[in-house]
Amino acid sequence: MTGTDEVPRPFTPSPPRPESPRNTGAAVVGLLIVAALTTTGMAMAGGPRKIDGQALPASGVYTSEGAKAPAGNAKPAPKEVRELETNPLLAEGVTLGAVTCRLPAISREPAKLETYYKTFVSCLAEAWKPALDQANEPALTATVQVTLPETSACGKAPSENEAVAYYCGGDTTIYAPTQWMLGDAGLERSRHLATMAHEYGHHIQRSSGILSAAAEKMSSPDEDSPADKELVRRIELQANCFGALALAAASGRGSISKSLANAALDDYGRADDSDTHGSRRNQLKWAKAGFSGKTTSACNTWAAPAADVK
């Protein structure tokens, strides 16, 4: 972005977790999905915006326009597909690979906690790669940052009262500030794993083109119309499902025992009802759909009736 660009930031905070020690009556504690600009100036989780200046994709962001058709009978280059219900990633039979996550000990020390997150994200990438390969969609690299920047490719960072962690599609980064995460989860590994798996679910939506397709359907300036809020709920509920799908792929091996994976699954049901993330019942319902369904088609929130994404 150039110095005069106005960056859109349609944050969609998740509902508070009732058990969190940081929750107060005024605080909104949760997960954020943060918009990123495409080359056309479209917010990836929001509608069209007026951009003063030139909107540029963040360094390292995949753009399908750059893919070249291979010669002969070679497989086409992976590219994002801007579709929702019919996205190839959600086709029948697409599965994640079973993975063994060998995680270091969780710690309150920022450097060690960052290593814990990065090791888990590497394991999530390994689990998701077979599914992206089956869909012929790009396996973009997600990075993790445990310090909060003043600004990122998605604009000004949210406040501590707005987020526990958030994903920015513009720089494909999961921001999980140490103080925020420890304030919410302490050293309870299940909560850390559930949060990171959810945020990585947004990264998969970014890689596949689902976020871009959803952005193109947004109609109101601040994503606050009933139709736009339903779109956001479908995004967030799918991220829960994707997160639980990955937890199932790691369950019972390495550092993630079956009991730890089940505890992380239960964490998706600890939030209150939300008009942007869905009811507590549906938040847990979609997580369970991914955990037990074992295929990405179980996470097709875009094909679900409105009652299932309230």
Side-chain angles (χ1 to χ4, degrees):
M1 302 294 296
T2 59
T4 58
D5 290 338
E6 181 181 336
V7 182
R9 297 184 294 105
F11 298 136
T12 57
S14 75
R17 289 168 167 163
E19 297 86 351
S20 170
R22 287 177 53 221
N23 285 335
T24 64
V28 180
V29 179
L31 316 176
L32 297 184
I33 174 174
V34 181
L37 291 176
T38 66
T39 53
T40 61
M42 177 77 73
M44 297 198 65
R49 294 292 187 280
K50 179 179 181 295
I51 304 297
D52 296 324
Q54 183 181 12
L56 300 175
S59 176
V61 172
Y62 178 88
T63 53
S64 59
E65 289 82 357
K68 296 182 179 180
N73 295 322
K75 184 178 180 180
K79 65 178 181 179
E80 67 170 24
V81 178
R82 296 189 178 190
E83 296 176 11
L84 297 173
E85 180 179 350
T86 57
N87 193 287
L89 184 65
L90 304 177
E92 292 292 335
V94 176
T95 59
L96 277 64
V99 289
T100 300
C101 300
R102 302 193 185 282
L103 306 177
I106 197 166
S107 173
R108 291 185 178 276
E109 295 181 29
K112 291 183 178 179
L113 189 59
E114 183 175 31
T115 298
Y116 185 85
Y117 292 155
K118 287 183 175 179
T119 304
F120 183 48
V121 164
S122 293
C123 196
L124 291 173
E126 182 183 348
W128 274 103
K129 191 173 187 310
L132 292 167
D133 286 347
Q134 290 168 64
N136 199 33
E137 293 175 343
L140 303 182
T141 299
T143 57
V144 178
Q145 187 169 320
V146 298
T147 55
L148 187 68
E150 289 187 7
T151 61
S152 69
C154 294
K156 185 179 178 181
S159 70
E160 184 176 359
N161 286 338
E162 293 176 299
V164 169
Y166 65 95
Y167 174 73
C168 173
D171 53 20
T172 61
T173 297
I174 297 170
Y175 291 95
T178 304
Q179 183 178 351
W180 297 6
M181 292 290 285
L182 291 174
D184 177 69
L187 294 179
E188 189 174 328
R189 291 177 297 158
S190 59
R191 282 197 170 185
H192 289 269
L193 295 178
T195 298
M196 296 304 288
H198 172 99
E199 298 304 333
Y200 198 85
H202 286 314
H203 177 66
I204 294 301
Q205 292 171 323
R206 163 70 177 90
S207 299
S208 64
I210 288 173
L211 282 186
S212 295
E216 291 168 357
K217 289 185 174 293
M218 293 286 182
S219 59
S220 59
D222 298 311
E223 296 79 46
D224 57 1
S225 71
D228 284 356
K229 284 185 177 179
E230 181 176 310
L231 280 171
V232 173
R233 288 196 300 274
R234 290 181 189 273
I235 291 170
E236 294 295 339
L237 292 169
Q238 184 174 66
N240 272 15
C241 189
F242 278 176
L245 191 63
L247 289 169
S251 177
R253 288 176 293 277
S255 303
I256 303 180
S257 64
K258 289 184 178 180
S259 61
L260 179 57
N262 281 319
L265 173 65
D266 290 342
D267 194 69
Y268 291 119
R270 291 197 176 110
D272 290 331
D273 294 350
S274 165
D275 60 357
T276 58
H277 285 62
S279 66
R280 175 186 290 198
R281 175 182 177 276
N282 281 338
Q283 289 184 59
L284 183 57
K285 174 184 175 180
W286 280 101
K288 286 183 173 180
F291 196 80
S292 61
K294 302 295 193 296
T295 65
T296 56
S297 61
C299 298
N300 196 343
T301 57
W302 309 102
D308 288 345
V309 294
K310 285 187 175 178

